[in-house]
Amino acid sequence: MLALIRAEAHADIGSDHAKLPIRLIQSGRAGRCVVVELNPGPLELARRNVTRARLEGHIEVRAGDGFAPLAPGEVDSASVSGMGAGTVAGILRRAGERLPPALVVQPNDSPWPVRVWAREQGYHLAAERLIPGYWPYPVLRLERRDGPDPVYADAGLPLNAALRYGPHLLREGSGVLRGQVQADLTRLTPLAAPGRTAQTELETARAAWDLLQP
Ligand SMILES: C[S@@+](CC[C@H](N)C(=O)[O-])C[C@H]1O[C@@H](n2cnc3c(N)ncnc32)[C@H](O)[C@@H]1O
């Protein structure tokens, strides 16, 4: 995530331990950070870690829901990570005029709802990564730009596969993505039947697999 963030002022929404903003300041990738946390336990942990790192002058910890504790235009970028994609998309939907021009998001499951939201709201997919771990973690950098996102314009790229697996990631065709699509094919094949969600998901995985062939 760190590599996709560079900002004068950055907000980390749902920060928990505040490790990301601490590393952003220590590495010089952000000049100032705002930590937003909804729950008292993680909020206290964030405050403790920021104090322990002696970064109170650079990181402000605020209690609140999503982008609500931020003023419009206060930060140039924000991250939302480590939550389900539906939760991430809900936080982005509720943010309204508080949304900064750049967003870095790392949902824990399929980023489909985030990519759909971004296409509708004028955010282009500037970069995507798929980080290997307990499962493959998708990281998306979104930037507010005019017009439709050109990354989806390629007629050879089926939209369902692009929204599920990522247009940049499909073009790159990394081993991590191949492993993820292969695992989906194995998991979905016995579950698929006409009219079932698994059938649609399987067709999407097959479309992605076809694209990944040399
Ligand atoms: C699983 S942790 C992820 C922590 C960190 N972002 C990471 O990636 O390691 C999710 C955190 O988001 C917080 N959270 C969930 N919904 C939130 C919301 N609407 N606004 C602010 N914080 C929220 C939770 O309290 C929790 O601390």
CSV table of all heavy atoms in Angstrom, one decimal, residues 12-17 36-39 42 64-66 80-83 87 91 94 106 108, ligand 1:
chain,number,residue,atom,x,y,z
A,12,ASP,N,-6.1,8.2,6.9
A,12,ASP,CA,-6.3,6.8,6.9
A,12,ASP,C,-7.5,6.5,7.6
A,12,ASP,O,-7.6,6.7,8.9
A,12,ASP,CB,-5.1,6.1,7.6
A,12,ASP,CG,-5.1,4.6,7.4
A,12,ASP,OD1,-5.5,4.1,6.3
A,12,ASP,OD2,-4.7,3.9,8.3
A,13,ILE,N,-8.5,6.0,6.9
A,13,ILE,CA,-9.9,5.8,7.5
A,13,ILE,C,-10.0,4.3,8.0
A,13,ILE,O,-9.8,3.4,7.2
A,13,ILE,CB,-11.0,6.0,6.4
A,13,ILE,CG1,-10.7,7.3,5.6
A,13,ILE,CG2,-12.4,5.9,7.0
A,13,ILE,CD1,-10.8,8.6,6.5
A,14,GLY,N,-10.4,4.2,9.2
A,14,GLY,CA,-10.4,2.8,9.8
A,14,GLY,C,-9.0,2.3,10.0
A,14,GLY,O,-8.6,1.2,9.6
A,15,SER,N,-8.2,3.1,10.8
A,15,SER,CA,-6.8,2.9,10.8
A,15,SER,C,-6.4,1.8,11.8
A,15,SER,O,-5.3,1.2,11.7
A,15,SER,CB,-6.1,4.2,11.2
A,15,SER,OG,-4.7,4.2,11.0
A,16,ASP,N,-7.2,1.6,12.8
A,16,ASP,CA,-6.9,0.6,13.9
A,16,ASP,C,-5.6,1.0,14.6
A,16,ASP,O,-5.5,2.0,15.3
A,16,ASP,CB,-6.8,-0.8,13.3
A,16,ASP,CG,-6.9,-1.9,14.4
A,16,ASP,OD1,-6.8,-1.5,15.6
A,16,ASP,OD2,-7.0,-3.1,14.0
A,17,HIS,N,-4.5,0.3,14.4
A,17,HIS,CA,-3.2,0.5,15.0
A,17,HIS,C,-2.4,1.7,14.5
A,17,HIS,O,-1.4,2.1,15.1
A,17,HIS,CB,-2.3,-0.7,14.9
A,17,HIS,CG,-2.6,-1.4,13.5
A,17,HIS,ND1,-2.2,-0.7,12.3
A,17,HIS,CD2,-3.2,-2.5,13.2
A,17,HIS,CE1,-2.6,-1.5,11.3
A,17,HIS,NE2,-3.2,-2.6,11.8
A,36,VAL,N,-8.5,8.3,11.2
A,36,VAL,CA,-9.9,8.3,11.6
A,36,VAL,C,-10.3,6.8,12.1
A,36,VAL,O,-10.0,5.9,11.4
A,36,VAL,CB,-10.9,8.7,10.5
A,36,VAL,CG1,-12.3,8.6,10.9
A,36,VAL,CG2,-10.5,10.1,10.0
A,37,GLU,N,-10.9,6.7,13.3
A,37,GLU,CA,-11.3,5.5,13.8
A,37,GLU,C,-12.6,5.6,14.5
A,37,GLU,O,-12.9,6.5,15.2
A,37,GLU,CB,-10.2,5.0,14.9
A,37,GLU,CG,-9.7,3.6,14.8
A,37,GLU,CD,-10.6,2.5,14.3
A,37,GLU,OE1,-11.7,2.3,14.8
A,37,GLU,OE2,-10.1,1.8,13.4
A,38,LEU,N,-13.5,4.6,14.2
A,38,LEU,CA,-14.8,4.5,14.7
A,38,LEU,C,-14.9,4.0,16.1
A,38,LEU,O,-15.7,4.4,16.9
A,38,LEU,CB,-15.7,3.7,13.7
A,38,LEU,CG,-17.1,3.5,14.0
A,38,LEU,CD1,-17.8,4.9,13.8
A,38,LEU,CD2,-17.8,2.5,13.0
A,39,ASN,N,-14.1,3.0,16.4
A,39,ASN,CA,-14.3,2.2,17.6
A,39,ASN,C,-13.2,2.6,18.7
A,39,ASN,O,-12.1,2.8,18.4
A,39,ASN,CB,-14.2,0.7,17.3
A,39,ASN,CG,-15.4,0.3,16.5
A,39,ASN,OD1,-16.5,0.5,17.0
A,39,ASN,ND2,-15.2,-0.2,15.3
A,42,PRO,N,-9.6,0.5,19.1
A,42,PRO,CA,-8.6,0.8,18.1
A,42,PRO,C,-8.2,2.3,18.2
A,42,PRO,O,-7.0,2.6,17.9
A,42,PRO,CB,-9.3,0.5,16.8
A,42,PRO,CG,-10.3,-0.5,17.1
A,42,PRO,CD,-10.7,-0.2,18.5
A,64,GLY,N,-14.5,8.9,14.7
A,64,GLY,CA,-15.6,9.2,13.9
A,64,GLY,C,-15.8,8.1,12.8
A,64,GLY,O,-15.1,7.2,12.7
A,65,ASP,N,-16.9,8.4,12.0
A,65,ASP,CA,-17.3,7.4,11.0
A,65,ASP,C,-16.8,7.8,9.6
A,65,ASP,O,-17.2,8.9,9.1
A,65,ASP,CB,-18.9,7.4,11.1
A,65,ASP,CG,-19.4,6.4,10.0
A,65,ASP,OD1,-18.7,5.7,9.3
A,65,ASP,OD2,-20.7,6.3,10.0
A,66,GLY,N,-16.0,7.0,9.0
A,66,GLY,CA,-15.6,7.3,7.6
A,66,GLY,C,-14.9,8.6,7.5
A,66,GLY,O,-14.0,9.0,8.2
A,80,VAL,N,-8.4,3.4,2.7
A,80,VAL,CA,-9.3,2.6,3.4
A,80,VAL,C,-8.9,1.1,3.2
A,80,VAL,O,-8.9,0.7,2.1
A,80,VAL,CB,-10.8,2.8,2.9
A,80,VAL,CG1,-11.8,2.2,3.8
A,80,VAL,CG2,-11.1,4.3,2.7
A,81,SER,N,-8.5,0.5,4.3
A,81,SER,CA,-8.0,-0.9,4.0
A,81,SER,C,-8.4,-1.9,5.1
A,81,SER,O,-8.8,-1.5,6.2
A,81,SER,CB,-6.4,-0.8,4.0
A,81,SER,OG,-5.9,-0.4,5.3
A,82,GLY,N,-8.3,-3.1,4.8
A,82,GLY,CA,-8.5,-4.2,5.7
A,82,GLY,C,-10.0,-4.4,6.1
A,82,GLY,O,-10.3,-5.0,7.1
A,83,MET,N,-10.9,-4.0,5.2
A,83,MET,CA,-12.3,-4.3,5.5
A,83,MET,C,-12.9,-4.9,4.2
A,83,MET,O,-12.3,-4.9,3.2
A,83,MET,CB,-13.1,-3.0,5.7
A,83,MET,CG,-12.5,-2.2,6.9
A,83,MET,SD,-13.3,-0.5,6.9
A,83,MET,CE,-11.9,0.5,7.3
A,87,THR,N,-18.1,-2.8,2.7
A,87,THR,CA,-17.9,-1.8,3.8
A,87,THR,C,-17.1,-0.6,3.2
A,87,THR,O,-17.5,0.5,3.4
A,87,THR,CB,-17.2,-2.4,5.0
A,87,THR,OG1,-18.0,-3.5,5.4
A,87,THR,CG2,-17.0,-1.4,6.1
A,91,ILE,N,-18.4,3.3,2.8
A,91,ILE,CA,-17.7,4.4,3.4
A,91,ILE,C,-17.4,5.5,2.3
A,91,ILE,O,-17.6,6.7,2.5
A,91,ILE,CB,-16.3,4.0,4.0
A,91,ILE,CG1,-16.6,3.2,5.3
A,91,ILE,CG2,-15.4,5.2,4.3
A,91,ILE,CD1,-15.4,2.6,6.0
A,94,ARG,N,-20.7,7.3,1.3
A,94,ARG,CA,-21.2,8.3,2.3
A,94,ARG,C,-20.3,9.5,2.4
A,94,ARG,O,-20.7,10.5,3.0
A,94,ARG,CB,-21.3,7.6,3.7
A,94,ARG,CG,-22.4,6.5,3.7
A,94,ARG,CD,-22.7,6.2,5.2
A,94,ARG,NE,-21.6,5.8,6.0
A,94,ARG,CZ,-21.0,4.6,6.0
A,94,ARG,NH1,-21.6,3.6,5.3
A,94,ARG,NH2,-20.0,4.3,6.8
A,106,GLN,N,-7.8,-1.1,0.0
A,106,GLN,CA,-7.4,-2.5,0.0
A,106,GLN,C,-8.5,-3.3,0.7
A,106,GLN,O,-8.6,-3.4,1.9
A,106,GLN,CB,-6.1,-2.7,0.8
A,106,GLN,CG,-5.6,-4.2,0.8
A,106,GLN,CD,-6.0,-4.8,2.1
A,106,GLN,OE1,-5.6,-4.4,3.2
A,106,GLN,NE2,-6.9,-5.8,2.1
A,108,ASN,N,-10.7,-6.6,1.6
A,108,ASN,CA,-10.3,-8.0,2.0
A,108,ASN,C,-10.9,-9.1,1.0
A,108,ASN,O,-10.5,-10.2,1.1
A,108,ASN,CB,-10.7,-8.3,3.4
A,108,ASN,CG,-9.8,-7.7,4.4
A,108,ASN,OD1,-8.7,-7.3,4.0
A,108,ASN,ND2,-10.2,-7.6,5.6
B,1,LIG,C1,-9.7,-4.8,10.3
B,1,LIG,S1,-9.3,-3.2,10.7
B,1,LIG,C2,-8.1,-2.7,9.5
B,1,LIG,C3,-7.1,-1.8,10.1
B,1,LIG,C4,-6.1,-1.3,9.1
B,1,LIG,N1,-6.7,-0.3,8.1
B,1,LIG,C5,-5.4,-2.4,8.3
B,1,LIG,O1,-5.6,-2.5,7.1
B,1,LIG,O2,-4.6,-3.1,8.9
B,1,LIG,C6,-10.7,-2.2,10.4
B,1,LIG,C7,-10.8,-1.0,11.2
B,1,LIG,O3,-11.7,-0.1,10.7
B,1,LIG,C8,-12.5,0.5,11.7
B,1,LIG,N2,-13.7,0.9,11.1
B,1,LIG,C9,-14.7,0.1,10.6
B,1,LIG,N3,-15.7,0.9,10.0
B,1,LIG,C10,-15.3,2.2,10.2
B,1,LIG,C11,-15.9,3.4,9.8
B,1,LIG,N4,-17.0,3.5,9.2
B,1,LIG,N5,-15.2,4.5,10.1
B,1,LIG,C12,-14.0,4.5,10.7
B,1,LIG,N6,-13.4,3.3,11.1
B,1,LIG,C13,-14.0,2.2,10.8
B,1,LIG,C14,-12.6,-0.7,12.7
B,1,LIG,O4,-12.9,-0.2,14.0
B,1,LIG,C15,-11.2,-1.3,12.7
B,1,LIG,O5,-10.3,-0.7,13.6
